[in-house]
Amino acid sequence: MMGGEPVLRLENIRKRYGKNEVLKGIDLSVFHHEVIALIGASGSGKSTLLKCVNLLENIDDGQIFLSGEDISDPRVDEDKIRGKIGIVFQNYNLFPHITVLDNVTLASKKVLKIPKAQAEEKGMELLSRIGIAQKAKVYPDQLSGGQQQRVALVRAIASNPEILLLDEITSALDPQLVGEVLDLVRELKEAQTTILMATHEMSFAKSVADEIVFLENGVVAEKGPPSQIFDHPEKQSTKDFLARLKA
Amino acid sequence: MPASKIKSYGDVSRVELDRRAFRKKQSKKSALISCVSLIAFASAIYLLLSNSTGWEKVRIAFFSPEYFLDALPVVFEGLLKNLQILIFAASGVAVLATLIAVVRTSRSAVLFPLRVLASVYTDIFRGLPMIIILYLIGFGIPGLRIFGRIDAGLLGTIAIIIGYSAYVAEVIRAGIEAIHPSQRAAARSLGLSHSQTMRIIILPQAIRKVVPALMNDFVSMQKDVGLVSVLGVIDAVRSAQIMVAKTYNFTPYIAAGLLFILLSLPFIRLTDWYTAKLRKREQMEGAV
Ligand SMILES: Nc1ncnc2c1ncn2[C@@H]1O[C@H](COP(=O)(O)OP(=O)(O)O)[C@@H](O)[C@H]1O
Ligand SMILES: [Mg+2]
């Protein structure tokens, strides 16, 4: 067990859509520099959980703490909190009507109010890091799907968020483009980024995550280090889920 | 390699040369057919008109060159008034329609009363004929005697803004709703406020999506500004009407009509060109 206050702590998170209770009391902690992978069947509530953490959805019960601050309290400044949490979705992350560089620098300029020149310098640095500095002035539709997701990743970390949330960021990509995106996530982990990610790339989760959380029907059915979850799952439902993936 | 990329004309295969020759012959044939049918159609109409007993009277009443030349400068001066109203009305519509669309697509509880108001507004003013809106505003507001004397042109402009904003707001709303929800989520998660998200991310994309429809509404507004004549504004239509009343010859209406067509033509062409460009781009995207 790591010491200190976790970056993110979820306590008994509940979320309903109408009568459909999607999250039924989730407890979860993410510590500094940890990478946690959420796995589970489609519809098990992974995306909903990430949206709740990012305050894009209101929870119906429970508490969310970011570095100790209760961000589920309606009195917090939601925009400010969201600025401290990065999120990347499956697709439609980039804004198609502004250039790649503007996508990366938008938050620095409009939210953090950093001067344009400084923001663009940092933006170019980030784009160079992912090897597409020469595409800075083009529009996102001229990038490949893999490049788009990598830009979305560096855009999310451009404002130094405390935690990065990733929601199946490779599931809309052609198989040959998945690798470059996962490589970048691996690099981010090495740079000590704190990450909570929903993924269906099991071998990736196994090699990168510090902890695997298996969601089933809105509850955490089992969690533990990858070696335990993938090689010696305790619960029958976990075994069934993994077996279905292999089939 | 896609066929469209082949740009060399030097060594083309026999089969292709054959196909090209055939296509050329085909297109010549259809051009010929169109010409013949056009001439036949025009002659039929000409014969019908010139053989009708009333044609001579109609020709004099509507198509007299002398009256036409007399009317043209007067009507043209009136058209400047229409143009002025058009510019103010279009700017007003842009602002009001955007506001209504933003209110109608917002989900905030605070805006609920405004949202109801906006939806009642669009329901009413899309159903109401423009001419009735003009009468209501043009004669109703002065009737209240709150503001003193108001220029009829201003009242007409207000009526057109109110009538057209209802339509344009619905077009913009459709554009806003066509933006993928992830775009809003992505913007909000970067820390952009609600209004920044609307202004910087959603609206620019939404408007781009509906530009052809907006251009169409603008074209239809160009001619509807002629309706302000019912309020006594001395515009192109009213000027023509005054001349007709004096001479009992209708040619000034033809002059006014012609000027309205000329006014709208450049923009209609622009709309066609832009729509074609969009379609081409979409087809190219579909091919990727
Ligand atoms: N906006 C929404 N409105 C209603 N139901 C929703 C909404 N979003 C998700 N759900 C429901 O919540 C459940 C969990 O969805 P989701 O969190 O997307 O699962 P996952 O990401 O694990 O596939 C599903 O049954 C889905 O239909
Ligand atoms: Mg999901």
Side-chain angles (χ1 to χ4, degrees):
Chain A
M1 191 76 214
M2 294 192 205
E5 179 69 38
V7 177
L8 179 72
R9 184 157 56 88
L10 306 183
E11 262 181 28
N12 189 33
I13 301 299
R14 288 176 183 276
K15 172 71 189 171
R16 271 191 315 269
Y17 287 114
K19 285 212 171 87
N20 180 13
E21 187 162 40
V22 178
L23 302 176
K24 301 167 185 162
I26 305 271
D27 295 303
L28 189 71
S29 288
V30 187
F31 289 88
H32 281 285
H33 316 319
E34 238 189 349
V35 174
I36 304 232
L38 284 171
I39 63 170
S42 169
S44 57
K46 306 181 294 293
S47 299
T48 305
L49 184 65
L50 295 177
K51 279 191 207 149
C52 289
V53 170
N54 202 27
L55 309 182
L56 290 169
E57 294 280 359
N58 285 325
I59 53 176
D60 293 308
D61 202 0
Q63 280 178 295
I64 306 170
F65 297 92
L66 185 70
S67 302
E69 182 188 4
D70 181 358
I71 61 170
S72 46
D73 185 329
R75 276 158 293 204
V76 299
D77 178 351
E78 294 196 353
D79 294 337
K80 208 160 156 202
I81 299 297
R82 283 198 203 92
K84 294 186 196 171
I85 301 175
I87 188 164
V88 179
F89 306 102
Q90 240 176 55
N91 44 24
Y92 301 108
N93 286 292
L94 299 187
F95 307 125
H97 64 299
I98 58 178
T99 65
V100 170
L101 182 61
D102 283 342
N103 262 280
V104 176
T105 56
L106 186 68
S108 309
K109 287 189 291 199
K110 301 286 177 185
V111 181
L112 305 176
K113 313 278 183 200
I114 292 173
K116 186 173 174 207
Q118 201 182 328
E120 297 202 332
E121 192 181 326
K122 169 113 187 269
M124 285 308 295
E125 193 185 303
L126 288 166
L127 291 179
S128 314
R129 229 171 102 186
I130 55 172
I132 55 172
Q134 79 283 6
K135 303 257 185 174
K137 298 282 189 224
V138 307
Y139 289 87
D141 64 357
Q142 294 188 30
L143 301 182
S144 73
Q147 288 174 328
Q148 290 184 24
Q149 288 300 70
R150 287 187 289 142
V151 171
L153 277 168
V154 295
R155 183 181 72 180
I157 60 163
S159 37
N160 299 316
E162 296 184 19
I163 186 169
L164 186 57
L165 310 175
L166 309 179
D167 190 2
E168 307 215 15
I169 59 170
T170 58
S171 63
L173 293 180
D174 288 341
Q176 78 270 19
L177 300 176
V178 169
E180 60 187 69
V181 176
L182 296 184
D183 285 345
L184 179 57
V185 177
R186 204 171 267 128
E187 267 177 50
L188 294 179
K189 177 197 161 81
E190 275 152 25
Q192 313 232 297
T193 314
T194 308
I195 299 175
L196 174 60
M197 60 178 186
T199 184
H200 62 278
E201 297 282 340
M202 293 305 152
S203 58
F204 176 70
K206 192 172 175 178
S207 70
V208 168
D210 300 299
E211 187 178 53
I212 308 288
V213 175
F214 172 53
L215 270 191
E216 194 189 37
N217 295 325
V219 296
V220 176
E222 185 168 357
K223 66 177 158 187
S227 55
Q228 177 203 320
I229 301 291
F230 289 115
D231 302 331
H232 311 285
E234 284 166 6
K235 299 272 175 57
Q236 190 57 42
S237 58
T238 317
K239 287 179 193 164
D240 292 345
F241 172 71
L242 292 171
R244 245 180 293 130
L245 281 184
K246 284 196 188 104
Chain B
M1 190 156 160
S4 60
K5 285 255 176 80
I6 300 174
K7 280 238 171 83
S8 63
Y9 298 101
D11 36 47
V12 182
S13 70
R14 272 226 78 87
V15 199
E16 173 60 18
L17 284 175
D18 213 41
R19 283 193 294 238
R20 283 183 196 173
F22 178 73
R23 282 193 204 112
K24 212 167 171 181
K25 216 167 82 193
Q26 282 279 322
S27 66
K28 259 190 200 157
K29 207 158 123 194
S30 48
L32 191 69
I33 293 175
S34 318
C35 279
V36 169
S37 69
L38 183 68
I39 291 167
F41 190 66
S43 335
I45 291 191
Y46 176 75
L47 284 176
L48 193 73
L49 282 179
S50 55
N51 286 331
S52 67
T53 42
W55 169 242
E56 198 44 37
K57 274 190 187 143
V58 169
R59 199 187 59 78
I60 292 168
F62 284 88
F63 301 100
S64 301
E66 318 84 76
Y67 284 115
F68 185 84
L69 290 177
D70 273 356
L72 211 50
V74 181
V75 172
F76 181 78
E77 200 160 310
L79 192 75
L80 294 180
K81 187 78 196 169
N82 291 114
L83 200 58
Q84 184 196 352
I85 291 176
L86 177 67
I87 290 167
F88 282 107
S91 319
V93 167
V95 174
L96 184 60
T98 308
L99 282 178
I100 294 169
V102 167
V103 167
R104 287 208 70 181
T105 51
S106 78
R107 261 166 251 126
S108 112
V110 191
L111 290 181
F112 179 75
L114 263 184
R115 206 151 53 228
V116 172
L117 196 71
S119 91
V120 170
Y121 171 88
T122 49
D123 280 357
I124 290 178
F125 285 100
R126 276 187 306 158
L128 215 51
M130 194 67 224
I131 194 106
I132 294 183
I133 303 178
L134 276 160
Y135 283 139
L136 289 179
I137 305 276
F139 300 132
I141 291 185
L144 295 174
R145 298 180 191 282
I146 309 176
F147 308 103
R149 231 197 75 73
I150 310 172
D151 175 54
L154 177 62
L155 289 168
T157 310
I158 293 172
I160 289 186
I161 291 175
I162 288 180
Y164 266 87
S165 290
Y167 282 101
V168 174
E170 287 300 283
V171 171
I172 297 177
R173 181 165 81 113
I176 292 175
E177 277 166 2
I179 306 297
H180 197 278
S182 282
Q183 286 279 300
R184 189 186 302 265
R188 300 288 274 154
S189 66
L190 287 175
L192 263 59
S193 69
H194 186 76
S195 67
Q196 281 179 318
T197 300
M198 206 58 192
R199 226 177 46 239
I200 307 174
I201 305 302
I202 307 295
L203 272 179
Q205 293 188 60
I207 301 229
R208 231 161 277 201
K209 272 187 198 290
V210 295
V211 161
L214 292 177
M215 289 172 110
N216 246 325
D217 281 341
F218 184 70
V219 169
S220 121
M221 204 161 133
Q222 272 178 336
K223 64 183 156 68
D224 274 2
V225 290
L227 291 173
V228 297
S229 58
V230 302
L231 301 182
V233 181
I234 311 291
D235 74 328
V237 179
R238 184 75 181 168
S239 312
Q241 200 177 25
I242 290 169
M243 296 189 86
V244 170
K246 273 192 238 159
T247 61
Y248 298 105
N249 184 289
F250 293 99
T251 307
Y253 282 141
I254 298 293
L258 209 63
L259 288 185
F260 270 104
I261 294 175
L262 286 180
L263 175 68
S264 66
L265 265 185
F267 201 78
I268 289 178
R269 283 285 84 81
L270 185 70
T271 309
D272 288 350
W273 170 81
Y274 186 76
T275 315
K277 194 178 112 172
L278 275 190
R279 191 166 42 232
K280 216 175 198 171
R281 192 187 305 156
E282 256 158 41
Q283 273 165 1
M284 261 164 58
E285 269 164 23
V288 169

